[in-house]
Coordinates of all heavy atoms in Angstrom, one line a residue:
M1 N -12.2 249.6 66.9 CA -12.2 248.2 66.7 C -11.8 247.8 65.3 O -12.3 248.5 64.4 CB -13.6 247.8 67.1 CG -13.7 246.2 67.1 SD -15.4 245.7 67.2 CE -15.5 245.1 68.8
I2 N -11.1 246.8 65.2 CA -10.7 246.3 63.8 C -11.7 245.4 63.4 O -12.1 244.4 64.0 CB -9.3 245.7 64.0 CG1 -8.2 246.6 64.5 CG2 -8.9 245.0 62.6 CD1 -6.9 246.1 64.8
P3 N -12.2 245.6 62.2 CA -13.2 244.7 61.6 C -12.7 243.3 61.5 O -11.5 243.0 61.1 CB -13.4 245.3 60.1 CG -13.1 246.6 60.2 CD -12.0 246.7 61.2
Q4 N -13.4 242.2 61.7 CA -13.0 240.9 61.7 C -12.4 240.5 60.4 O -11.4 239.8 60.3 CB -14.1 240.0 62.0 CG -13.7 238.5 62.3 CD -12.7 238.3 63.4 OE1 -12.9 238.8 64.5 NE2 -11.6 237.6 63.1
R5 N -13.0 240.9 59.3 CA -12.6 240.5 57.9 C -11.1 241.1 57.7 O -10.3 240.4 57.2 CB -13.5 241.1 56.9 CG -13.0 240.9 55.4 CD -13.0 239.4 55.0 NE -12.5 239.3 53.7 CZ -11.7 238.4 53.2 NH1 -11.3 237.5 54.1 NH2 -11.2 238.4 52.0
L6 N -10.9 242.3 58.2 CA -9.5 242.9 58.0 C -8.5 242.1 58.8 O -7.4 241.8 58.4 CB -9.5 244.3 58.5 CG -8.3 245.2 58.4 CD1 -7.8 245.2 57.1 CD2 -8.5 246.5 58.9
A7 N -8.9 241.8 60.1 CA -8.0 240.9 60.9 C -7.8 239.6 60.4 O -6.6 239.1 60.3 CB -8.7 240.8 62.4
D8 N -8.8 239.0 59.7 CA -8.5 237.7 59.1 C -7.5 237.7 58.0 O -6.7 236.8 57.8 CB -9.9 237.1 58.5 CG -10.8 236.7 59.6 OD1 -10.4 236.5 60.7 OD2 -12.0 236.5 59.3
I9 N -7.7 238.8 57.1 CA -6.7 239.0 56.0 C -5.3 239.1 56.5 O -4.4 238.5 56.1 CB -7.1 240.3 55.2 CG1 -8.5 239.9 54.5 CG2 -6.0 240.4 54.2 CD1 -9.1 241.1 53.8
I10 N -5.1 240.0 57.5 CA -3.9 240.3 58.1 C -3.2 238.9 58.7 O -2.0 238.6 58.4 CB -4.0 241.3 59.2 CG1 -4.3 242.8 58.6 CG2 -2.7 241.4 60.0 CD1 -4.6 243.9 59.5
F11 N -4.0 238.2 59.4 CA -3.4 237.1 60.0 C -3.1 236.0 59.0 O -2.1 235.3 59.0 CB -4.5 236.4 61.1 CG -4.5 237.3 62.3 CD1 -5.7 237.7 62.9 CD2 -3.3 237.7 62.9 CE1 -5.8 238.4 64.0 CE2 -3.5 238.5 64.1 CZ -4.6 238.9 64.6
N12 N -4.0 235.8 58.0 CA -3.8 234.8 56.9 C -2.7 235.2 56.0 O -1.9 234.3 55.6 CB -5.1 234.6 56.0 CG -6.1 233.8 56.8 OD1 -5.8 232.8 57.3 ND2 -7.4 234.2 56.8
L13 N -2.5 236.4 55.6 CA -1.4 236.7 54.7 C -0.1 237.1 55.4 O 0.9 237.0 54.7 CB -2.0 237.9 53.7 CG -3.1 237.6 52.9 CD1 -3.5 238.8 52.1 CD2 -2.9 236.4 52.0
L14 N -0.1 237.4 56.6 CA 1.1 237.7 57.3 C 1.4 236.7 58.4 O 2.2 237.0 59.4 CB 1.1 239.1 58.0 CG 0.8 240.3 57.0 CD1 0.7 241.6 57.7 CD2 1.8 240.3 55.9
G15 N 0.9 235.5 58.4 CA 0.9 234.5 59.5 C 2.3 234.3 60.0 O 2.4 233.9 61.1
R16 N 3.3 234.3 59.0 CA 4.6 233.9 59.5 C 5.5 235.2 59.6 O 6.8 235.1 59.6 CB 5.3 233.1 58.4 CG 4.5 231.6 58.3 CD 5.2 230.7 57.3 NE 4.4 229.5 57.3 CZ 4.7 228.4 57.8 NH1 5.9 228.3 58.4 NH2 4.0 227.4 57.7
A17 N 4.8 236.3 59.8 CA 5.5 237.6 59.9 C 5.0 238.4 61.2 O 4.3 239.3 61.0 CB 5.5 238.4 58.7
P18 N 5.3 237.8 62.4 CA 4.7 238.5 63.6 C 5.0 240.0 63.8 O 4.1 240.8 64.2 CB 5.3 237.7 64.7 CG 6.5 237.0 64.3 CD 6.3 236.8 62.8
A19 N 6.2 240.4 63.3 CA 6.4 242.0 63.4 C 5.5 242.8 62.6 O 5.0 243.7 62.9 CB 7.8 242.2 63.1
Q20 N 5.2 242.3 61.3 CA 4.4 242.9 60.5 C 2.9 242.8 61.0 O 2.2 243.9 60.9 CB 4.4 242.3 59.1 CG 5.7 242.5 58.3 CD 5.7 241.8 57.0 OE1 4.9 242.0 56.2 NE2 6.8 241.0 56.8
I21 N 2.5 241.7 61.6 CA 1.2 241.6 62.2 C 1.0 242.7 63.3 O 0.0 243.3 63.4 CB 0.8 240.2 62.7 CG1 0.8 239.3 61.5 CG2 -0.3 240.2 63.6 CD1 0.8 237.8 61.9
K22 N 2.0 242.8 64.2 CA 1.9 243.8 65.3 C 1.8 245.2 64.7 O 0.9 245.9 65.2 CB 3.2 243.7 66.1 CG 3.3 242.4 66.9 CD 4.6 242.5 67.8 CE 4.7 241.3 68.8 NZ 5.8 241.5 69.6
I23 N 2.6 245.6 63.7 CA 2.5 246.8 63.2 C 1.0 247.1 62.6 O 0.5 248.2 62.8 CB 3.5 247.1 62.1 CG1 4.9 247.2 62.7 CG2 3.3 248.4 61.3 CD1 6.0 247.1 61.8
M24 N 0.6 246.1 61.8 CA -0.7 246.3 61.2 C -1.8 246.4 62.3 O -2.8 247.3 62.1 CB -1.0 245.3 60.2 CG -0.2 245.2 58.9 SD -0.2 246.8 58.0 CE -2.0 246.9 57.6
M25 N -1.8 245.6 63.3 CA -2.9 245.6 64.3 C -2.8 247.0 65.0 O -3.9 247.6 65.3 CB -2.7 244.5 65.3 CG -2.8 243.1 64.6 SD -4.3 242.9 63.6 CE -5.5 242.8 64.7
V26 N -1.6 247.6 65.3 CA -1.5 248.8 66.0 C -2.1 249.9 65.0 O -2.9 250.8 65.4 CB -0.1 249.1 66.5 CG1 0.0 250.6 66.9 CG2 0.3 248.2 67.6
L27 N -1.6 249.9 63.8 CA -2.0 251.1 62.9 C -3.5 251.0 62.6 O -4.2 252.0 62.4 CB -1.2 250.9 61.6 CG 0.3 251.3 61.7 CD1 1.0 251.1 60.3 CD2 0.4 252.8 62.3
C28 N -4.1 249.7 62.4 CA -5.5 249.6 62.1 C -6.3 250.0 63.3 O -7.6 250.3 63.2 CB -5.9 248.3 61.6 SG -5.2 247.9 60.0
G29 N -5.8 250.0 64.5 CA -6.6 250.3 65.7 C -6.4 251.7 66.1 O -6.9 252.1 67.2
T30 N -5.6 252.5 65.3 CA -5.3 253.9 65.7 C -6.1 254.8 64.8 O -6.1 254.6 63.5 CB -3.7 254.1 65.5 OG1 -3.0 253.2 66.3 CG2 -3.3 255.6 66.0
K31 N -6.6 255.9 65.4 CA -7.3 256.8 64.6 C -6.5 257.4 63.5 O -5.3 257.6 63.7 CB -8.0 257.9 65.4 CG -6.9 258.9 66.2 CD -7.8 259.8 66.9 CE -6.7 260.8 67.6 NZ -7.4 261.9 68.3
E32 N -7.1 257.9 62.5 CA -6.4 258.5 61.3 C -6.0 259.9 61.7 O -6.4 260.5 62.6 CB -7.4 258.6 60.2 CG -7.7 257.2 59.5 CD -8.5 257.4 58.2 OE1 -8.3 258.3 57.4 OE2 -9.5 256.7 58.2
D33 N -4.9 260.3 61.0 CA -4.3 261.6 61.2 C -3.6 261.8 62.5 O -3.6 262.9 63.1 CB -5.3 262.6 60.9 CG -5.8 262.8 59.5 OD1 -5.1 262.4 58.6 OD2 -7.1 263.1 59.4
F34 N -3.2 260.7 63.1 CA -2.5 260.7 64.4 C -1.0 260.5 64.1 O -0.7 259.5 63.5 CB -3.0 259.5 65.3 CG -2.4 259.4 66.6 CD1 -2.7 260.3 67.5 CD2 -1.6 258.4 66.8 CE1 -2.1 260.2 68.8 CE2 -0.9 258.3 68.1 CZ -1.2 259.1 69.1
F35 N -0.2 261.4 64.6 CA 1.2 261.3 64.4 C 1.8 260.0 65.1 O 1.6 259.9 66.3 CB 1.9 262.5 64.8 CG 3.5 262.3 64.7 CD1 4.1 262.5 63.4 CD2 4.3 262.1 65.8 CE1 5.4 262.2 63.3 CE2 5.6 261.9 65.5 CZ 6.2 262.0 64.3
I36 N 2.4 259.2 64.5 CA 3.0 257.9 65.0 C 4.5 258.0 64.8 O 5.0 257.9 63.8 CB 2.5 256.7 64.4 CG1 0.9 256.7 64.6 CG2 3.1 255.4 64.9 CD1 0.2 255.7 63.9
S37 N 5.2 258.0 66.0 CA 6.7 258.1 65.9 C 7.2 256.7 66.0 O 6.5 255.8 66.5 CB 7.3 258.9 67.1 OG 7.0 258.2 68.3
T38 N 8.5 256.5 65.5 CA 9.2 255.1 65.6 C 9.2 254.8 67.1 O 8.9 253.6 67.5 CB 10.5 255.2 65.0 OG1 10.5 255.5 63.6 CG2 11.3 253.9 65.1
K39 N 9.6 255.7 68.0 CA 9.7 255.4 69.4 C 8.3 254.8 70.0 O 8.3 253.9 70.7 CB 10.1 256.6 70.1 CG 10.3 256.4 71.6 CD 10.9 257.7 72.3 CE 11.0 257.4 73.8 NZ 11.5 258.6 74.6
W40 N 7.2 255.5 69.6 CA 5.9 255.2 70.1 C 5.6 253.7 69.5 O 5.1 253.0 70.2 CB 4.9 256.2 69.6 CG 3.5 256.0 70.1 CD1 3.1 256.3 71.3 CD2 2.4 255.3 69.5 NE1 1.7 255.9 71.6 CE2 1.3 255.2 70.3 CE3 2.3 254.6 68.3 CZ2 0.1 254.7 70.1 CZ3 1.0 253.9 68.0 CH2 0.0 254.0 68.9
M41 N 5.9 253.5 68.2 CA 5.5 252.2 67.7 C 6.3 251.1 68.3 O 5.8 250.0 68.5 CB 5.7 252.2 66.1 CG 4.7 252.9 65.4 SD 3.0 252.1 65.5 CE 3.3 250.6 64.5
T42 N 7.6 251.3 68.5 CA 8.5 250.3 69.1 C 8.1 250.0 70.5 O 8.0 248.8 70.9 CB 10.0 250.6 68.9 OG1 10.2 251.8 69.6 CG2 10.5 250.6 67.5
K43 N 7.6 251.1 71.2 CA 7.2 250.8 72.6 C 5.9 250.0 72.6 O 5.6 249.1 73.3 CB 7.0 252.1 73.3 CG 6.6 252.0 74.7 CD 6.6 253.3 75.4 CE 6.1 253.2 76.9 NZ 6.1 254.4 77.6
R44 N 5.0 250.4 71.7 CA 3.6 249.8 71.6 C 3.7 248.4 71.1 O 2.9 247.5 71.6 CB 2.8 250.7 70.6 CG 1.4 250.2 70.5 CD 0.5 250.9 71.5 NE -0.8 250.6 71.1 CZ -1.8 250.5 72.0 NH1 -1.6 250.7 73.3 NH2 -3.0 250.2 71.7
T45 N 4.6 248.1 70.3 CA 4.7 246.7 69.6 C 5.6 245.8 70.3 O 5.6 244.5 70.1 CB 5.1 246.7 68.2 OG1 6.3 247.4 68.0 CG2 4.0 247.5 67.4
G46 N 6.6 246.4 71.2 CA 7.7 245.6 71.7 C 8.8 245.2 70.8 O 9.6 244.4 71.0
L47 N 8.8 245.8 69.5 CA 9.8 245.5 68.5 C 11.1 246.3 68.7 O 10.9 247.5 69.2 CB 9.3 245.7 67.1 CG 8.0 244.9 66.7 CD1 7.4 245.4 65.4 CD2 8.5 243.4 66.5
S48 N 12.2 245.9 68.4 CA 13.4 246.7 68.3 C 13.2 247.7 67.2 O 12.4 247.5 66.2 CB 14.7 245.9 68.1 OG 14.6 245.4 66.8
Q49 N 14.0 248.7 67.1 CA 14.0 249.7 66.1 C 14.3 249.0 64.7 O 13.7 249.3 63.7 CB 14.9 250.9 66.4 CG 14.8 252.0 65.3 CD 15.5 253.3 65.6 OE1 15.9 253.5 66.8 NE2 15.6 254.1 64.8
Q50 N 15.3 248.1 64.7 CA 15.7 247.4 63.5 C 14.6 246.6 63.0 O 14.3 246.6 61.8 CB 16.9 246.7 63.7 CG 17.4 245.9 62.6 CD 18.7 245.2 62.8 OE1 19.3 245.2 63.9 NE2 19.1 244.3 61.8
S51 N 14.0 245.8 63.9 CA 12.9 244.8 63.5 C 11.7 245.7 63.0 O 11.0 245.3 62.0 CB 12.5 244.1 64.7 OG 13.3 243.2 65.0
Y52 N 11.3 246.9 63.7 CA 10.3 247.7 63.2 C 10.5 248.2 61.9 O 9.7 248.1 60.9 CB 10.0 248.8 64.2 CG 9.2 249.9 63.7 CD1 7.8 249.6 63.7 CD2 9.6 251.2 63.4 CE1 6.9 250.6 63.2 CE2 8.7 252.2 62.9 CZ 7.4 251.8 62.8 OH 6.6 252.8 62.3
S53 N 11.8 248.7 61.7 CA 12.2 249.4 60.3 C 12.0 248.3 59.2 O 11.5 248.6 58.1 CB 13.5 249.9 60.4 OG 13.5 251.0 61.2
E54 N 12.5 247.1 59.4 CA 12.5 246.1 58.5 C 11.0 245.7 58.1 O 10.7 245.4 57.0 CB 13.2 244.9 58.9 CG 13.3 243.7 57.9 CD 14.1 242.6 58.4 OE1 15.2 242.8 59.2 OE2 13.7 241.4 58.2
A55 N 10.3 245.4 59.2 CA 8.8 245.1 59.0 C 8.0 246.2 58.3 O 7.3 245.9 57.4 CB 8.2 244.7 60.3
L56 N 8.3 247.4 58.6 CA 7.6 248.5 57.9 C 8.0 248.5 56.5 O 7.1 248.7 55.7 CB 8.0 249.9 58.8 CG 7.4 251.1 58.2 CD1 5.9 251.0 58.4 CD2 8.0 252.3 58.9
R57 N 9.2 248.4 56.1 CA 9.7 248.3 54.8 C 9.0 247.2 53.9 O 8.5 247.5 52.8 CB 11.2 248.1 54.7 CG 11.7 248.2 53.2 CD 13.2 247.8 53.1 NE 13.5 246.6 53.8 CZ 13.3 245.3 53.3 NH1 12.7 245.1 52.2 NH2 13.7 244.3 54.1
K58 N 8.8 246.1 54.6 CA 8.1 245.0 53.9 C 6.7 245.3 53.7 O 6.1 244.9 52.6 CB 8.3 243.7 54.7 CG 9.8 243.1 54.6 CD 9.9 241.9 55.4 CE 11.3 241.4 55.3 NZ 11.6 240.2 56.2
L59 N 6.0 246.0 54.7 CA 4.6 246.3 54.5 C 4.5 247.3 53.4 O 3.5 247.3 52.6 CB 4.1 246.8 55.8 CG 3.9 245.7 56.8 CD1 3.6 246.2 58.2 CD2 2.7 244.8 56.4
V60 N 5.4 248.3 53.3 CA 5.4 249.3 52.3 C 5.5 248.5 50.9 O 5.0 248.8 49.9 CB 6.5 250.4 52.5 CG1 6.6 251.2 51.2 CG2 6.1 251.2 53.7
D61 N 6.5 247.7 50.8 CA 6.8 246.9 49.6 C 5.6 246.1 49.1 O 5.3 246.0 48.0 CB 8.0 246.0 49.7 CG 9.3 246.6 49.9 OD1 9.4 247.9 49.6 OD2 10.3 246.0 50.2
R62 N 4.8 245.6 50.1 CA 3.7 244.8 49.8 C 2.5 245.8 49.3 O 1.6 245.3 48.7 CB 3.2 244.1 51.1 CG 2.0 243.3 51.0 CD 1.6 242.6 52.4 NE 2.4 241.5 52.7 CZ 2.1 240.3 52.4 NH1 1.0 240.0 51.6 NH2 2.9 239.3 52.7
G63 N 2.6 247.0 49.6 CA 1.6 248.0 49.1 C 0.6 248.2 50.2 O -0.4 249.0 50.0
W64 N 0.7 247.7 51.4 CA -0.3 247.8 52.4 C -0.2 249.2 53.2 O -1.1 249.7 53.8 CB -0.2 246.7 53.5 CG -0.7 245.4 52.9 CD1 -1.1 245.1 51.6 CD2 -1.2 244.2 53.7 NE1 -1.5 243.8 51.5 CE2 -1.7 243.3 52.8 CE3 -1.1 244.1 55.1 CZ2 -2.1 242.0 53.3 CZ3 -1.6 242.7 55.5 CH2 -2.1 241.8 54.5
L65 N 1.0 249.8 53.2 CA 1.2 251.0 53.8 C 2.0 251.9 52.9 O 2.8 251.6 52.0 CB 2.2 250.8 55.0 CG 1.7 249.9 56.1 CD1 2.7 249.8 57.3 CD2 0.4 250.4 56.8
T66 N 1.7 253.2 53.1 CA 2.5 254.3 52.5 C 3.2 255.0 53.6 O 2.5 255.4 54.6 CB 1.6 255.2 51.7 OG1 0.8 254.4 50.7 CG2 2.4 256.2 51.0
H67 N 4.5 255.2 53.4 CA 5.3 255.8 54.5 C 6.2 256.9 54.1 O 6.8 256.7 53.0 CB 6.1 254.7 55.2 CG 6.9 255.1 56.3 ND1 8.4 255.2 56.2 CD2 6.7 255.4 57.5 CE1 8.8 255.5 57.3 NE2 7.9 255.7 58.2
R68 N 6.2 257.9 54.8 CA 7.2 258.9 54.6 C 7.8 259.3 56.0 O 7.0 259.6 56.9 CB 6.6 260.2 54.0 CG 7.6 261.3 53.7 CD 7.0 262.3 52.8 NE 8.0 263.3 52.7 CZ 7.8 264.5 52.2 NH1 6.5 264.9 52.0 NH2 8.7 265.4 52.1
N69 N 9.0 259.1 56.1 CA 9.7 259.4 57.5 C 9.3 260.7 58.1 O 9.3 261.7 57.5 CB 11.2 259.2 57.4 CG 11.7 257.8 57.3 OD1 11.0 256.9 57.9 ND2 12.9 257.6 56.7
Y70 N 8.9 260.6 59.3 CA 8.5 261.8 60.1 C 7.4 262.6 59.6 O 7.2 263.7 60.0 CB 9.9 262.7 60.3 CG 11.0 261.9 60.9 CD1 12.1 261.5 60.1 CD2 10.9 261.4 62.2 CE1 13.1 260.8 60.5 CE2 12.0 260.6 62.7 CZ 13.1 260.3 61.8 OH 14.2 259.6 62.3
A71 N 6.7 262.0 58.6 CA 5.6 262.8 58.1 C 4.3 262.0 58.3 O 3.3 262.5 58.8 CB 5.7 263.1 56.6
Y72 N 4.2 260.8 57.7 CA 3.0 260.0 57.8 C 3.2 258.5 57.5 O 4.2 258.2 56.9 CB 1.9 260.5 56.8 CG 2.3 260.4 55.4 CD1 2.2 259.2 54.7 CD2 3.0 261.4 54.7 CE1 2.5 259.1 53.4 CE2 3.3 261.4 53.4 CZ 3.1 260.1 52.7 OH 3.5 260.0 51.4
I73 N 2.2 257.8 57.9 CA 2.0 256.4 57.6 C 0.5 256.3 57.3 O -0.3 256.6 58.1 CB 2.4 255.4 58.7 CG1 3.9 255.4 59.1 CG2 2.1 254.0 58.3 CD1 4.2 254.6 60.3
T74 N 0.3 255.8 56.0 CA -1.1 255.6 55.6 C -1.3 254.0 55.4 O -0.6 253.5 54.8 CB -1.3 256.3 54.4 OG1 -1.1 257.8 54.5 CG2 -2.8 256.2 53.9
V75 N -2.4 253.6 56.0 CA -2.8 252.2 55.7 C -3.6 252.2 54.4 O -4.6 253.0 54.3 CB -3.6 251.6 56.8 CG1 -4.1 250.3 56.6 CG2 -2.9 251.8 58.2
N76 N -3.3 251.3 53.5 CA -3.9 251.3 52.2 C -5.0 250.1 52.3 O -4.7 249.0 51.8 CB -2.8 251.0 51.1 CG -1.9 252.2 51.0 OD1 -2.3 253.4 51.2 ND2 -0.6 251.8 50.9
Y77 N -6.1 250.4 52.9 CA -7.1 249.4 53.1 C -7.6 248.7 51.8 O -7.8 247.5 51.8 CB -8.4 250.0 53.8 CG -8.0 250.3 55.4 CD1 -7.8 251.6 55.7 CD2 -7.9 249.3 56.2 CE1 -7.4 251.9 57.0 CE2 -7.5 249.6 57.6 CZ -7.3 250.9 57.9 OH -7.0 251.2 59.2
D78 N -7.7 249.5 50.7 CA -8.1 248.9 49.5 C -7.2 247.8 48.9 O -7.7 246.8 48.6 CB -8.2 250.0 48.4 CG -9.4 250.9 48.5 OD1 -10.3 250.6 49.4 OD2 -9.4 252.1 48.0
K79 N -5.9 248.0 49.1 CA -5.0 247.0 48.7 C -5.0 245.7 49.7 O -5.0 244.6 49.1 CB -3.5 247.6 48.8 CG -2.4 246.7 48.5 CD -2.4 246.1 47.1 CE -1.2 245.3 46.8 NZ -1.4 244.1 46.0
I80 N -5.2 246.0 50.9 CA -5.3 244.8 51.8 C -6.5 244.1 51.5 O -6.4 242.8 51.5 CB -5.4 245.4 53.3 CG1 -4.1 246.0 53.7 CG2 -5.7 244.2 54.2 CD1 -4.2 246.8 55.0
Y81 N -7.7 244.6 51.3 CA -8.8 243.9 51.0 C -8.8 243.3 49.6 O -9.2 242.1 49.4 CB -10.1 244.8 50.9 CG -10.6 245.0 52.4 CD1 -10.5 246.3 53.0 CD2 -11.1 244.0 53.2 CE1 -10.8 246.5 54.3 CE2 -11.5 244.2 54.5 CZ -11.5 245.5 55.0 OH -11.8 245.7 56.3
E82 N -8.0 243.9 48.6 CA -7.8 243.3 47.3 C -7.0 242.1 47.4 O -7.3 241.0 46.9 CB -7.1 244.3 46.4 CG -6.7 243.8 45.0 CD -5.9 244.8 44.3 OE1 -6.3 246.1 44.2 OE2 -4.8 244.5 43.8
D83 N -5.9 242.1 48.3 CA -5.1 240.9 48.5 C -5.9 239.8 49.3 O -5.7 238.6 49.0 CB -3.8 241.3 49.3 CG -2.8 242.1 48.6 OD1 -3.0 242.3 47.3 OD2 -1.8 242.5 49.1
G84 N -6.8 240.2 50.0 CA -7.6 239.3 50.8 C -8.6 238.5 49.8 O -8.7 237.3 49.9
R85 N -9.1 239.3 48.8 CA -10.0 238.6 47.8 C -9.2 237.6 47.0 O -9.6 236.5 46.6 CB -10.6 239.7 47.0 CG -11.8 240.4 47.7 CD -12.6 241.3 46.8 NE -11.8 242.3 46.2 CZ -11.6 243.5 46.9 NH1 -12.1 243.7 48.0 NH2 -10.8 244.5 46.3
A86 N -8.0 238.1 46.6 CA -7.2 237.2 45.8 C -6.7 235.9 46.6 O -6.8 234.8 46.0 CB -5.9 237.8 45.3
F87 N -6.4 236.1 47.8 CA -6.2 234.8 48.7 C -7.4 233.9 48.7 O -7.2 232.8 48.6 CB -5.8 235.4 50.1 CG -5.5 234.2 51.0 CD1 -4.3 233.6 51.1 CD2 -6.5 233.9 51.9 CE1 -4.1 232.5 52.0 CE2 -6.3 232.8 52.9 CZ -5.1 232.2 52.8
D88 N -8.6 234.5 48.9 CA -9.8 233.7 49.0 C -10.0 232.9 47.7 O -10.4 231.7 47.8 CB -11.0 234.5 49.3 CG -11.0 235.1 50.7 OD1 -10.2 234.6 51.5 OD2 -11.8 236.0 50.9
E89 N -9.7 233.6 46.6 CA -9.9 232.9 45.3 C -9.0 231.8 45.1 O -9.3 230.7 44.6 CB -9.8 233.8 44.2 CG -11.0 234.9 44.1 CD -10.7 235.9 43.0 OE1 -9.8 235.9 42.3 OE2 -11.6 236.9 43.0
E90 N -7.7 231.9 45.6 CA -6.6 230.9 45.5 C -7.1 229.7 46.4 O -6.7 228.5 46.1 CB -5.3 231.4 46.0 CG -4.7 232.4 45.0 CD -3.5 233.0 45.5 OE1 -2.9 232.5 46.5 OE2 -3.0 234.0 45.0
Q91 N -7.8 229.9 47.5 CA -8.1 228.9 48.4 C -9.3 228.0 47.9 O -9.5 226.9 48.5 CB -8.4 229.5 49.8 CG -7.2 230.2 50.4 CD -6.0 229.3 50.6 OE1 -6.0 228.2 51.1 NE2 -4.9 229.8 50.0
Q92 N -10.0 228.5 47.0 CA -11.2 227.8 46.5 C -10.8 226.7 45.5 O -9.9 226.5 44.9 CB -12.2 228.7 45.9 CG -12.7 229.6 46.9 CD -13.7 230.6 46.3 OE1 -14.2 230.4 45.2 NE2 -14.2 231.5 47.1

């Protein structure tokens, strides 16, 4: 189960990027150390391979994911929560 705070951050900060939201929701709901192929992710999210690759690159650029082709994808939860705190401060 994805913690509500994590889901709120993802939805608030990626609100206009549905492909990125789909990827984050799948990854945050998947157990760690589970091999995730591009084919599995595109099937799971309904994204084309091109859309998946582009969204994945943007999430890596944001610092939310660390990715190495055919080896691993790591969710950087500390960075996500840090960005969430910064967003909350901006909203006050």
Side-chain angles (χ1 to χ4, degrees):
M1 183 191 256
I2 299 171
Q4 187 61 52
R5 175 67 181 140
L6 180 60
D8 290 345
I9 294 168
I10 291 168
F11 291 132
N12 282 314
L13 297 181
L14 301 178
R16 295 181 185 254
Q20 292 177 54
I21 291 171
K22 287 180 176 187
I23 291 169
M24 290 306 300
M25 298 310 285
V26 169
L27 292 176
C28 290
T30 303
K31 67 181 181 174
E32 292 183 41
D33 299 325
F34 177 74
F35 177 76
I36 298 172
S37 69
T38 298
K39 182 178 179 180
W40 186 85
M41 283 294 290
T42 56
K43 184 176 181 181
R44 183 87 172 149
T45 60
L47 298 170
S48 69
Q49 186 170 350
Q50 181 179 353
S51 293
Y52 170 71
S53 295
E54 182 179 324
L56 182 64
R57 180 188 51 78
K58 289 178 180 179
L59 290 165
V60 169
D61 290 348
R62 182 183 278 273
W64 285 18
L65 299 178
T66 302
H67 176 255
R68 183 170 177 199
N69 281 335
Y70 308 107
Y72 64 83
I73 297 176
T74 303
V75 178
N76 301 319
Y77 291 101
D78 290 343
K79 175 66 170 142
I80 296 169
Y81 283 111
E82 177 185 314
D83 288 356
R85 284 188 296 276
F87 176 79
D88 290 344
E89 290 173 7
E90 290 174 12
Q91 298 302 307
Q92 294 181 8

